[in-house]
Amino acid sequence: MQSKNLKNIIVVDDDRSIRVVISTALTRAGYNVKSSGTAAGMRRLVESDFADILITDVGLPDGDALDVLPKLQHMKPKLKIIVMSARTTLLTAVRAKKKGAFEYLPKPFDLDELLNLVSNTFSEHNNIEIKDKITLPKNIYDLGPVVGKSMAMQEIYKLISRLVNTNLNLLILGESGTGKKLIAKSIHDLSSINNKLFLNLSMDVFNDYSLDNLLQNIQKNHNKDTQSFACLNACSILIRNVSESSLQQQKNLLDFIEEDFSPYLEKTNDFIKPRIIALTKKNIFNEVEKGLFREDLFYRLNVVPIKIPSLKDRFEDISDLTISFLNRYSSEKNIHRFITHEGINLLKEHSWPGNIRELKNVIERICLLSSSEEIQTSLIKEVISEDRLFIDETEEDNLEIYFKKYLSKYFINFDENLNIDNLHSSFISKIEKPLIESTLKLFRGNQIKASKCLGFNRNTLRTKINNYGIEVIKKRKL
């Protein structure tokens, strides 16, 4: 038996080439490595008290490795487990964490990333507490509703896996149509308290705040029996468009977050305060700096921020999302449709300003309009260009006319009694930010040329870049 003073690692993967590559890299880094290609071999190596760390794939020829992890953890409580998987789904990340994994690593990965993770794992001295309180059906999130294999979504999955069984307040940021509500609901559904209420509220329920009023609003909006304050025990409260609110609404929400429920509860000591999951399309920190959002509320909500990438930042997921929407349409309508590789490439080339919601709508439209199982690329081109045709060419050329029509729609539901004293700044920012972003892109991130083109000095440009949170990407001209 090898000395336990050495840093010993077990590598398990049914692909021999992967085992060899990982084992070789770890051996060269100074670790003592043994490997296996099966779940049975993995168990024998763990029973031999060989390893400090186990690195295992999920899918093994004689079983699912995640089903074995709790037994291994019980057998060797100090064993730290790194799960790697090509099944890059939300459920895999969450299941791995619930089964006692120290870390989840989606394939493909860089060997340096694995070596750094192993090094960090050895420096982590805290034992892992096994939390396998609930059993998740293996097919809930394998194919949806949260879809994506891109690196951007993998980071989201890993973060969610750490959050599902906490009660921390969350702030989910992302453009309209990126799936913020879906992520919030997934966090609730995958938690160990998914039998509790999931309430979807707007900031309007905090117009005139008291617990009684809030419960009445919840009952009205959700048709739930919420006469007892105990219904709020461990529930999740999603709050839409939290940044689109008045300062009074923000104060009332803060009062609710800081509410002491104990006087209202009878004979219960296990009350868990509701978790707040706030959604926003805006950079709230910028709103705080402008005085439009309370700083104290921002820090109460921003305990764990989750930034949902736009579709243009995860275009690798367009294929999987398209297949998911096609399958959903086929299931609901009992009509089979498919898109060729050429059609998928066409969808990838589109800019998708409406994000996932726009893609979903386009897929539904082309399925409806297609007269054959194979959706023609000509139909895809026609449908994705339709939205642009709704804007009259004269309006596109005349920004003033277009903006006047936009303002007319905006003021339809405008409340002149609200305390709004910076309307000018609000609308200028909507125009100025994309103008600066587009100009920087035109000059490939060169701020000197961009500032000259925009008509102000470089220091002013830098200030505006910081205020708007603009990412400057420098590209060399080929």
Side-chain angles (χ1 to χ4, degrees), residues 277-303:
I277 306 178
L279 311 184
T280 178
K281 295 179 288 186
K282 293 183 178 180
N283 184 328
I284 295 189
F285 186 74
N286 289 342
E287 300 297 296
V288 170
E289 291 188 325
K290 296 174 185 177
L292 297 175
F293 200 87
R294 293 179 63 107
E295 185 175 12
D296 48 2
L297 177 59
F298 169 70
Y299 286 112
R300 295 302 297 268
L301 296 174
N302 197 46
V303 178

Side-chain angles (χ1 to χ4, degrees), residues 250-268:
Q250 294 167 28
K251 177 184 180 302
N252 292 339
L253 173 57
L254 182 63
D255 288 343
F256 173 69
I257 292 174
E258 297 178 342
E259 183 75 63
D260 178 13
F261 288 85
S262 57
Y264 306 96
L265 301 170
E266 298 178 359
K267 298 178 181 180
T268 178

